[in-house]
Each structure stands twice: as C-alpha cells, then as structure tokens.
Amino acid sequence: MAKTKMLLMGALLTVASSTFAAPQGAAPTGIDSYEIKEFVADFTQFKIGDRVPAMYLTDEYNITKWQLRNLPAPEAGSRWTYMGGNYVQITDAEGKILKAYNGDIFYHR
C-alpha cells in the first residue's frame, strides 16, 4: 500500500511540475506566429536576405497603411510590399528582404 501511494505521489508531482514548466519549443504567439522565412512569388522562391524584382520598389507596391493590415512599423529605410499573398518588408534602396509575414496576418485580432 505504501509503495502504491509513493508511486501515485511521484506521478502526481511529475504531472504537476510539467504543467507549470515553460513548454520547450513553444509556438510563437501574436503576430510572430505569422512570420515566415521563405515564400514563393512570381514563380520564384524568396527568403530573408534575397532581393526582390525592381517592380516591388515602385510606389504601386508600397504599403503605406501598414497598421490596417496588422503589420509592425517598417524599420527606418524600409517599406512594406505585397508579394505572392505575403507581406514583405524590404529596404528602400536595394529591395533586400528584411522580414516576411503570411498574408493571413491581415485577419489577426
């Protein structure tokens, strides 16, 4: 009987401690859960650090109302653009990809 109680107590402590422990490799929350490292646009695979085609540097693709799309403020010297269903932050001068979010961020609440 004492052995059974000790086993039950050990199991209970194990379950209780795992409940309060921070999960290992927990999924990102908030807008971070929409961040992506690579995507496809215009039949091309892009990743952070790549340069976008020149047309995405034009005013036509510049997103000025980024707040309405739940995007963070662009870093100094950069802008938001829309590529292949994704929001992509690029540098103003050379079009280097700094950050990308899945287009579903638009619906984030």
Side-chain angles (χ1 to χ4, degrees), residues 15-83:
V15 170
S17 65
S18 66
T19 302
F20 294 107
Q24 297 295 323
T29 58
I31 65 168
D32 292 337
S33 64
Y34 297 95
E35 191 167 352
I36 55 177
K37 299 296 179 195
E38 54 186 33
F39 59 94
V40 175
D42 303 323
F43 306 103
T44 305
Q45 178 92 20
F46 290 96
K47 64 184 180 316
I48 306 302
D50 288 348
R51 292 185 184 187
V52 300
M55 69 182 196
Y56 292 105
L57 291 168
T58 64
D59 285 340
E60 183 178 355
Y61 286 91
N62 186 14
I63 296 173
T64 56
K65 296 182 179 181
W66 44 267
Q67 304 94 325
L68 296 176
R69 299 169 194 249
N70 299 311
L71 297 168
E75 297 174 16
S78 72
R79 66 173 79 178
W80 286 105
T81 191
Y82 192 72
M83 297 177 65

